[in-house]
Amino acid sequence: MEKSLHHSLFSDFDVYLFRSGKHRKLYKKFGAHEVEVDGRKGVYFAVYAPAARDVEVIGNFNGWDGKAHKLFVRWDGSGIWEGFIPGLGKGELYKYRIYSSHDQRIRDKPDPYSFFFEQAPKTSGIIWEPKYAWKDEKWMQSRKKKDLYKSAVSIYEVHLGSWKKDEKAARSLHYPELADELVAYVSKMGFTHVEFLPVTEHPYYPSWGYLSTGFFAPTSRYGTPEEFMYLVDAFHQAGIGVILDWVPAHFPSDTDFLADFDGSALFEHPNPKKGYHPDWDSLIFNFDRPEICSFLISSARFWLEVYHIDGLRVDAVASMIYLDYSREEGQWDPNIHGGKENLEAIAFLKELNKACYDGNEGIMMIAEESTAFPGVTSAVHDGGLGFGFKWMMGWMNDTLRYMARDPIFRRYHHGEISFSMVYAYSENYILPFSHDEVVHGKASMIHKMPGDDWKRFAGLRGLYGYMFTHPGHKLLFMGNEFAQRSEWNFNASLQWDLLKHDTHKGIQKLVKDLNNLLQKEKALSESSFNPGGFEWIDHSDYDNSVIAYVRKSGRSTLLVVCNFTPRVHRAYRLGVPKKGVWRELLNTDDEVYGGSGVMHDEKIATEKIKSHGRNHSVEVTLAPLATMIFKYATR
């Protein structure tokens, strides 16, 4: 193998953008790239290590001795080390050996920009530039034209390693197997999108991917980069969007990866008050350093452009924007204005969203933000953070707290189920029943419901009916759609054997029907982010624990009634906005879902009897622990 030679993929403008925090495609510059220089094929390497006095490339091709393969530091003070090694190619293992100018230690570090890694616990990068012939042009073109604020969006959240196991081989399904089984299942169930818990490479499997180390590499646990592309492509060809959880908030604190990268606090903030996460024993990215902002923005753009990803759900946004997040007095320093906002992180998020939306029409940038920080989904030019959507954590917490109560006592807490409409249009919300709600002793969705099994299943069906008719997009974690009994276990397959029971099959069929109804009935989707698309009929019947409301769009009008008690209410009168007839579209107490069958088989004509401030009303029977959806018809 020849010695490394001088070569560069960086222009002066690249370096300027990198150092100003505005480079969006560093994955084309940093890392390991197969190139041809003066007629010789080989690999170009580049790494950011400003505190290094020497950097070598080590790997299986040189016996992990990099003396012949030193990189050259750029003359411009950028801290970029680069070089070309002739005769090197795809599939070789490599790391960087970094000699710090700050101390005498030598650090062997994986490449932060590697496209592929060895399977954990091994940590070397693999020289690998993904090449794939995409077949999703129809999807990518249609995505550009779709208005996500007026379309049905129902997301199936998935942890790829535990959705289904190959029991004979005692392993998770690989990307190509998931392309067959998972795509078919999501399509059958009527979800419009999937959302993967982080697939970015991560050394510690129990972190579920939320402690990432390879921000440009899909985990090798389930296959190659091309096989992950094949999975995304299969979803697109089935008409299903793919969202990734993406974690720019923090990274593992162990020094095998990004931490102490070149002997300095390079990726992490040097001040522990801003650079260390007490909750997760992890390190916080240094948003004060423009080069690190360029690194993260390039990672986000990489998934959108190279892997055709349709959206990013940005994890732990609240921990990024507040200096006092999970900290006591004295454990954090105010910003220059004396406030608790992390101004640099906020500026980064704004730049991130501008960069991601620029040229990537039809994507979704989603914030997991658990506070009332204003303007999360407002445009940057209007002073907002620039996200497209935000998880509605307040709705989730209030709703699950209410549903956990014995129906006898729900009358005393009626505001928990109706309060969300006070702020439902303050942001563009997604209603999440996510993985976080079915782990760590919180109980599975079915076991959050009180009472015996009949009440639990009825309650869960009614809850899902309420969820799918509430304004906002929807998200269900895998297993929730068929009422998995146990909490989620990342080491085990979902409890698919439960589907031999009618009660679980009933929940599954209901979710499928709700997804189909969401896409069919424009009143449930076209006006999700328009206050004119919702109208209360009654949110004050705490005695009966009943709420009723209208969803509407254009000529489509739906009446939704939720009975949160196991009591059947007969001859229940409701004012309605239109004179005519109403027919029942869906009732979660239907026998096909495992319910008791308190249904309305005939159309219901309005009567000229005033009720709820309206001139016309209908008389209905409210099924127990059920959500009923009626549609207006002129005759």
Side-chain angles (χ1 to χ4, degrees):
M1 189 74 62
E2 297 182 55
K3 289 185 177 181
S4 52
L5 306 172
H6 253 123
H7 186 67
S8 183
L9 294 182
F10 283 87
S11 67
D12 291 346
F13 189 55
D14 284 321
V15 174
Y16 165 77
L17 291 174
F18 172 54
R19 300 183 75 177
S20 62
K22 298 196 180 286
H23 206 301
R24 298 175 176 181
K25 296 188 178 183
L26 288 177
Y27 55 87
K28 292 188 174 183
K29 307 297 176 178
F30 281 113
H33 297 275
E34 295 178 75
V35 298
E36 187 174 312
V37 178
D38 297 331
R40 290 184 293 178
K41 293 182 178 180
V43 176
Y44 164 83
F45 295 90
V47 63
Y48 178 53
R53 57 182 172 83
D54 271 309
V55 178
E56 300 169 350
V57 181
I58 59 175
N60 57 349
F61 51 87
N62 61 16
W64 303 94
D65 181 355
K67 289 184 175 59
H69 298 130
K70 293 178 179 289
L71 297 183
F72 303 89
V73 66
R74 286 182 63 90
W75 57 269
D76 52 17
S78 62
I80 298 171
W81 295 76
E82 57 189 350
F84 172 71
I85 302 178
L88 203 55
K90 184 175 183 177
E92 302 284 1
L93 305 180
Y94 76 104
K95 286 186 178 182
Y96 297 119
R97 180 160 288 164
I98 299 173
Y99 299 81
S100 177
S101 61
H102 286 189
D103 55 33
Q104 299 304 308
R105 287 184 54 215
I106 301 171
R107 295 160 175 83
D108 292 349
K109 294 285 192 176
D111 185 351
Y113 288 87
S114 180
F115 296 141
F116 194 26
F117 283 91
E118 292 182 287
Q119 284 197 42
K122 297 178 181 179
T123 59
S124 294
I126 304 174
I127 295 172
W128 198 286
E129 294 205 61
K131 295 177 181 178
Y132 180 79
W134 290 92
K135 301 178 180 67
D136 64 347
E137 183 178 354
K138 181 179 178 182
W139 167 266
M140 297 298 285
Q141 290 300 318
S142 65
R143 192 186 77 179
K144 295 178 181 179
K145 302 172 185 176
K146 181 169 285 190
D147 185 344
L148 289 167
Y149 302 97
K150 294 183 178 180
S151 302
V153 173
S154 178
I155 303 167
Y156 187 57
E157 188 190 30
V158 180
H159 177 254
L160 291 177
S162 58
W163 179 72
K164 186 181 287 187
K165 299 278 189 180
D166 183 330
E167 301 298 344
K168 289 183 179 178
R171 63 165 175 81
S172 301
L173 297 185
H174 291 165
Y175 296 131
E177 294 166 321
L178 289 162
D180 292 333
E181 296 196 40
L182 181 58
V183 172
Y185 180 75
V186 174
S187 182
K188 180 186 79 171
M189 289 297 297
F191 289 97
T192 65
H193 293 72
V194 289
E195 180 179 318
F196 298 152
L197 270 63
V199 300
T200 40
E201 192 58 84
H202 49 284
Y204 186 54
Y205 188 62
S207 77
W208 314 333
Y210 288 98
L211 287 172
S212 297
T213 53
F215 282 78
F216 297 84
T219 178
S220 59
R221 289 175 175 89
Y222 318 126
T224 66
E226 286 85 356
E227 287 173 331
F228 182 64
M229 289 172 166
Y230 176 76
L231 173 60
V232 175
D233 201 4
F235 272 114
H236 285 175
Q237 291 182 58
I240 298 164
V242 180
I243 300 165
L244 295 189
D245 267 13
W246 184 70
V247 191
H250 62 136
F251 58 92
S253 59
D254 64 273
T255 56
D256 291 334
F257 299 98
L258 298 180
D260 189 39
F261 188 77
D262 61 354
S264 70
L266 182 62
F267 286 90
E268 65 270 31
H269 198 284
N271 179 355
K273 292 182 177 181
K274 292 180 73 174
Y276 176 72
H277 248 312
D279 283 0
W280 304 305
D281 187 28
S282 58
L283 299 179
I284 302 169
F285 282 105
N286 185 358
F287 302 111
D288 296 9
R289 190 188 284 262
E291 295 88 345
I292 301 308
C293 294
S294 286
F295 167 80
L296 290 170
I297 288 171
S298 293
S299 169
R301 291 273 301 206
F302 172 79
W303 294 105
L304 298 173
E305 294 170 11
V306 175
Y307 281 89
H308 291 201
I309 296 302
D310 303 293
L312 300 175
R313 178 264 196 187
V314 181
D315 183 62
V317 170
S319 74
M320 298 171 67
I321 59 180
Y322 289 111
L323 296 165
D324 65 341
Y325 184 89
S326 284
R327 299 178 191 273
E328 304 294 331
E329 188 174 351
Q331 295 179 336
W332 62 282
D333 295 325
N335 62 36
I336 57 173
H337 305 298
K340 61 182 181 180
E341 295 79 17
N342 187 331
L343 302 179
E344 292 77 18
I346 290 170
F348 161 74
L349 290 169
K350 292 180 178 182
E351 186 64 30
L352 168 73
N353 286 314
K354 287 195 298 182
C356 287
Y357 276 117
D358 184 15
N360 291 302
E361 296 89 348
I363 67 160
M364 302 173 72
M365 293 298 292
I366 303 166
E368 191 253 331
E369 200 282 312
S370 54
T371 74
F373 189 88
V376 172
T377 58
S378 295
V380 172
H381 62 257
D382 289 331
L385 293 184
F387 285 96
F389 303 92
K390 170 181 170 173
W391 277 17
M392 198 174 189
M393 307 296 280
W395 171 87
M396 178 273 297
N397 285 317
D398 286 347
T399 299
L400 291 182
R401 189 183 308 115
Y402 178 83
M403 295 302 298
R405 301 185 189 279
D406 188 302
I408 294 173
F409 303 112
R410 286 176 180 169
R411 59 181 295 185
Y412 303 112
H413 304 276
H414 197 62
E416 289 175 343
I417 203 66
S418 59
F419 179 67
S420 60
M421 289 311 303
V422 172
Y423 62 94
Y425 301 103
S426 61
E427 302 279 4
N428 301 323
Y429 282 117
I430 294 174
L431 280 56
F433 288 145
S434 74
H435 65 280
D436 277 330
E437 311 319 315
V438 291
V439 290
H440 302 321
K442 294 181 183 177
S444 63
M445 288 296 291
I446 191 66
H447 286 291
K448 292 180 190 292
M449 305 295 114
D452 58 20
D453 248 17
W454 184 89
K455 291 178 181 176
R456 283 176 176 157
F457 278 93
L460 188 59
R461 291 192 303 268
L463 171 58
Y464 286 166
Y466 163 66
M467 174 192 190
F468 272 77
T469 55
H470 188 289
H473 292 333
K474 328 298 175 190
L475 180 143
L476 282 177
F477 183 56
M478 63 182 198
N480 290 351
E481 82 280 9
F482 62 83
Q484 169 145 313
R485 290 278 186 176
S486 66
E487 289 188 338
W488 170 50
N489 177 0
F490 65 89
N491 275 323
S493 174
L494 295 181
Q495 295 176 297
W496 294 105
D497 60 324
L498 290 175
L499 287 170
K500 64 187 178 186
H501 302 293
D502 289 342
T503 48
H504 293 274
K505 282 196 295 187
I507 294 280
Q508 186 188 51
K509 177 171 173 48
L510 172 65
V511 171
K512 178 182 177 180
D513 288 354
L514 286 168
N515 275 329
N516 291 334
L517 193 69
L518 183 67
Q519 294 190 53
K520 182 180 178 182
E521 295 297 333
K522 300 301 183 184
L524 295 177
S525 58
E526 281 189 347
S527 58
S528 267
F529 306 101
N530 175 5
F534 179 92
E535 180 182 334
W536 276 117
I537 298 297
D538 190 4
H539 58 79
S540 62
D541 188 4
Y542 58 87
D543 273 336
N544 293 308
S545 298
V546 171
I547 57 173
Y549 47 91
V550 167
R551 296 296 309 278
K552 52 189 176 179
S553 177
R555 295 182 179 180
S556 177
T557 304
L558 301 181
L559 169 67
V560 181
V561 191
C562 304
N563 175 15
F564 293 108
T565 74
R567 176 188 165 198
V568 176
H569 298 288
R570 302 193 183 277
Y572 192 95
R573 186 161 294 280
L574 285 165
V576 290
K578 291 185 177 183
K579 174 186 176 181
V581 296
W582 298 76
R583 63 182 180 88
E584 191 172 74
L585 281 186
L586 187 145
N587 185 330
T588 64
D589 193 50
D590 195 324
E591 290 179 352
V592 299
Y593 307 132
S596 58
V598 177
M599 304 281 291
H600 299 82
D601 296 325
E602 303 294 330
K603 292 180 179 179
I604 304 165
T606 58
E607 298 176 87
K608 196 171 183 179
I609 299 174
K610 290 187 176 182
S611 182
H612 298 97
R614 292 162 176 82
N615 292 326
H616 294 85
S617 60
V618 293
E619 194 174 79
V620 294
T621 298
L622 303 190
L625 292 170
T627 294
M628 292 137 285
I629 306 170
F630 302 88
K631 184 173 184 177
Y632 173 73
T634 54
R635 60 183 69 182

